[in-house]
């Protein structure tokens, strides 16, 4: 499906571009973090420890002043029948146990970011795949059959495009609710992760399931398939005029076979480039839905940013850290997208952001 | 095809899309679980009362009657009644519109004022520090979720440094206009300062993605134009470099940039929804989120229609402008 020439272009562009290398490294690291979360996460993302709440990240400390009862020689000081209070300054230092600090419930922020990567990447990958599946089917048929089918499909695409994606996504999730499917975490179920963790001395008790946010995946796909339809249609329109497509038809290949065996493989490059950009756009969309509390996810970068808002005057890192995770991931994906686009030059649109 | 025929064709397409939008929004009610009557009534209500409410809402009519009732009012600005407050939806949407429009326009102004000079600077100083700076900025800008940017701005500029308010919109441009009409110039100026002070952070929050996007587009468009033969010809002819760059090349760069700004308007409104949530900005976005939480479907439907129809109309306008500036497109 990917020709020798394409591969050569990709390699050449990769050698030339430092940013492309950086992007690939970031994306691989994020995916690895998500996949191997039960091995590398210092704690369970939901493990609370109220004594350790709002610990600052490494390199920072916090100063809080609070009113306490004044004590002298171990007894309460009373003047004029009143208990005397004094202001005390309490310093909290960062500890290596929580390198990125802890949240309002004392949960480890690094662990939550590692597990949050799973939500983002699951929605990014499944959402993009589903969007691509719908969009490519619609777009290929529209471009291949042209005429009435084309008009009908492309006008419905126009209708979809008239709704801002985030607004439509909010409306659909709001209307449908937030179905989620817990699937057993293979590393925990097989005992691999617990065995590894006790061997290296990490606390055990990792979550046994990975939550697959079903509704969110369907909704982001329904909102974003149009971009794939547009690109696939454009490709199909030009490919259908090629000799090999006419030859296949003349030999009696069915429409479905012609589309899947001859048109699709030749349209795959721009679709792959678009898919890379769309994973980034869908990760941003998921984080926005979670931030607004519409995704139902309880371990998600967007959701944690929202949780941190109530501590904005006392613990800035709770909102800051998960946001940095989003920015780094999306930059990585955009760099990979730029690399593919520069190397393959399909000249497509379809960026999206929140 | 002449320009006027192009515009007529484009408007008819737009009308079709608007009809489609209305129909899709009507259909939303049928994918929502549960009966709209449940929003109004406690679950253990007397069946007779229940039937009465359903009849009042027109929910027992045949589907085509309900569809007709829904569609026929829209051209006259009738978007139905809110299930919760029992007041016209259109009035509530219109009341929230100025706040969102102000935010969207302020963000576009921020974006255009910063992005176009930055993109030009980046293209004319290629492979120099200014270019790298602009490139890094635009990469980070398109990769940053705007709600997080908003939270960060609040954290640093409002909470820590106390330079800006964290939220709210005490006065809008509509209120300021009223003061001006009433002859209270002093109050209007004070109102405007307050407005500016409150809208600064939301406008930056919403505008950053667009600033980054337009910087990228301007840079690549400008590089593209500067490599064209007409630029070389103008230089050979002895035209001053400023004239070549800023009159000829920039003008040709801006045409596609304006189209993209029009197309991205939907993203802008989507971004406004979440920006409003961050800053407690009382606009359409807040209305949409509240209507979902209250399961007030007519308000949600009405807001969606207004947003989508606005998007279609703006795009027709952009296409018309585009065809006017560049008559070639009308002949495609």
């Amino acid at each position: 499906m990917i020709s020798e020439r394409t591969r050569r272009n990709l390699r050449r562009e990769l050698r030339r571009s430092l940013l492309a290398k950086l992007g690939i490294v970031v994306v691989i690291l994020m995916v690895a973090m998500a996949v191997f979360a039960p091995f590398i996460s210092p704690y369970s993302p939901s493990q609370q420890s109220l004594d350790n709440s709002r610990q600052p990240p490494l390199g920072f400390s916090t100063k809080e002043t609070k009113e306490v009862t004044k004590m002298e020689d171990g007894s309460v000081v009373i003047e004029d029948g009143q208990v005397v209070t004094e202001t005390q300054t309490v310093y909290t230092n960062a500890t290596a146990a929580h390198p990125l600090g802890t949240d309002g419930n004392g949960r480890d922020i690094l662990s939550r970011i590692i597990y949050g990567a799973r939500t983002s990447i699951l929605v990014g990958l499944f959402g993009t795949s589903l969007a691509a599946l719908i969009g490519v089917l619609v777009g290929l048929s529209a471009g291949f059959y042209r005429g009435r089918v084309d008009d009908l499909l492309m006008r419905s695409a126009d209708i979809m495009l008239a709704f801002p994606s985030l607004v439509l996504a909010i409306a659909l999730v709001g209307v449908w609710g937030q179905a989620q499917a817990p699937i057993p975490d293979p590393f925990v179920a097989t005992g691999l992760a617990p065995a590894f963790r006790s061997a290296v001395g990490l606390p055990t008790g990792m979550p046994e399931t990975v939550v697959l946010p079903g509704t969110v995946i369907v909704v982001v796909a329904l909102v974003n398939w149009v971009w794939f339809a547009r690109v696939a249609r454009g490709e199909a329109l030009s490919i259908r005029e090629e000799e090999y497509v006419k030859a296949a038809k003349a030999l009696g290949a069915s429409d479905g076979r012609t589309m899947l065996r001859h048109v699709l493989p030749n349209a795959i490059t721009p679709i792959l480039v678009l898919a890379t950009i769309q994973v980034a756009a869908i990760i941003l969309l998921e984080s926005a839905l979670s931030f607004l509390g519409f995704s139902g996810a309880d371990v998600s970068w967007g959701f944690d940013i929202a949780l941190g808002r109530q501590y904005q005057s006392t613990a800035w890192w709770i909102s800051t850290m998960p946001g940095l995770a989003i920015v780094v991931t999306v930059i990585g994906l955009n760099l990979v997208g730029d690399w593919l686009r520069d190397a393959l030059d399909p000249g497509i649109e379809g960026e999206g952001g929140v | 095809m002449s320009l006027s025929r192009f515009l007529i064709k484009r408007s008819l397409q737009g009308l079709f899309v608007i009809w489609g939008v209305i129909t899709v929004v009507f259909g939303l009610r049928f994918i929502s679980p549960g009966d709209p009557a449940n929003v109004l009534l406690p679950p253990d209500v007397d069946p007779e009362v229940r039937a009465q409410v359903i009849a009042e809402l027109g929910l027992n009519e045949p589907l085509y009657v309900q569809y007709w009732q829904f569609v026929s009012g829209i051209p006259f600005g009738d978007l139905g009644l809110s299930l919760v407050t029992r007041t016209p939806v259109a009035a509530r949407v219109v009341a929230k519109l100025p706040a969102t429009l102000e935010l969207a326009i302020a963000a576009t102004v921020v974006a255009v004022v910063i992005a176009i000079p930055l993109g030009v600077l980046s293209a004319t100083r290629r492979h120099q520090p200014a270019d790298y700076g602009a490139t890094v900025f635009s990469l980070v800008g398109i990769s940053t979720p705007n709600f997080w940017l908003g939270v960060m701005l609040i954290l640093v500029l409002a909470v820590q440094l106390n330079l800006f308010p964290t939220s709210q919109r005490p006065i809008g441009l509509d209120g300021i206009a009223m003061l001006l009409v009433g002859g209270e110039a002093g109050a209007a100026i004070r109102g405007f300062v307050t407005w500016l002070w409150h809208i600064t952070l939301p406008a930056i929050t919403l505008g950053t993605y667009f600033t980054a996007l337009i910087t990228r587009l301007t840079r690549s468009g400008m590089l593209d134009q500067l490599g064209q033969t007409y630029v070389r010809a103008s230089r050979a002819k002895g035209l001053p470099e400023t004239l070549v760059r800023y009159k000829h090349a920039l003008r040709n760069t801006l045409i596609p940039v304006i189209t993209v700004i029009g197309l991205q308007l939907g993203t802008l409104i989507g971004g406004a929804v979440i920006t409003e949530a961050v800053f407690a900005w009382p606009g359409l976005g807040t209305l949409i989120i509240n209507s979902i939480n209250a399961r007030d479907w007519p308000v949600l439907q009405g807001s969606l229609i207004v947003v989508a129809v606005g998007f279609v109309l703006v795009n027709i306008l952009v296409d018309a402008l585009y065809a006017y500036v560049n008559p070639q497109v009308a002949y495609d």
Side-chain angles (χ1 to χ4, degrees), chain B residues 285-306:
Chain B
T286 309
L287 185 68
I288 289 175
I289 291 171
N290 290 343
S291 68
I292 291 174
N293 287 333
R295 319 212 132 246
D296 194 348
W297 306 134
V299 175
L300 174 63
Q301 289 176 313
S303 314
L304 283 176
I305 289 176
V306 169

Side-chain angles (χ1 to χ4, degrees), chain B residues 238-252:
Chain B
L239 281 187
E241 184 63 24
T242 32
L243 205 64
V244 176
R245 278 184 191 168
Y246 303 113
K247 184 153 181 235
H248 300 291
L250 181 59
R251 194 155 74 176
N252 285 322

Side-chain angles (χ1 to χ4, degrees), chain A residues 155 159 161-162 164 166-167 170 174-176 287-288 291-292 294 305 309 312 316 319-320 323 331 334-335 338 352-354, chain B residues 16 20-21 31-33 139 143 145-148 152 154-155 159 209 216 266-267 270 273-274 277-278 292 304 307-308 311:
Chain A
R155 286 292 92 77
I159 293 168
L161 278 179
L166 179 63
V167 177
I170 293 173
V175 167
W176 272 337
S287 69
F291 176 76
L292 292 173
F294 280 117
I305 294 173
R309 290 203 67 193
Q312 60 188 15
W316 53 268
S319 290
T320 307
I331 287 181
N334 279 331
L335 288 175
D338 285 350
V354 175
Chain B
F16 174 83
V21 160
I31 57 171
S32 61
L139 178 67
S143 307
N146 68 4
F147 59 90
W148 180 69
M152 290 299 107
I154 290 177
L155 211 66
V159 175
Y209 171 78
R216 262 192 161 194
T267 321
V273 170
I274 199 158
V278 174
I292 291 174
L304 283 176
V307 167
F311 176 78

Side-chain angles (χ1 to χ4, degrees), chain A residues 57-128:
Chain A
L58 279 184
F60 296 91
S61 62
T62 54
K63 193 172 87 174
E64 248 183 309
T65 50
K66 53 181 174 187
E67 292 281 307
V68 289
T69 315
K70 189 172 180 183
M71 305 282 275
E72 249 167 40
D73 302 330
S75 56
V76 177
V77 182
I78 297 175
E79 272 172 25
D80 306 333
Q82 296 271 327
V83 177
V84 179
T85 59
E86 60 181 354
T87 46
Q88 229 179 38
T89 312
V90 181
Y91 291 92
T92 312
N93 282 321
T95 59
H98 301 287
L100 298 184
T102 58
D103 73 4
N105 293 321
R107 295 175 296 194
D108 180 49
I109 289 177
L110 176 62
S111 305
R112 290 188 68 79
I113 287 180
I114 292 174
Y115 268 90
R118 291 190 145 187
T119 308
S120 288
I121 285 169
L122 275 179
V123 175
L125 285 183
F126 283 111
T128 307

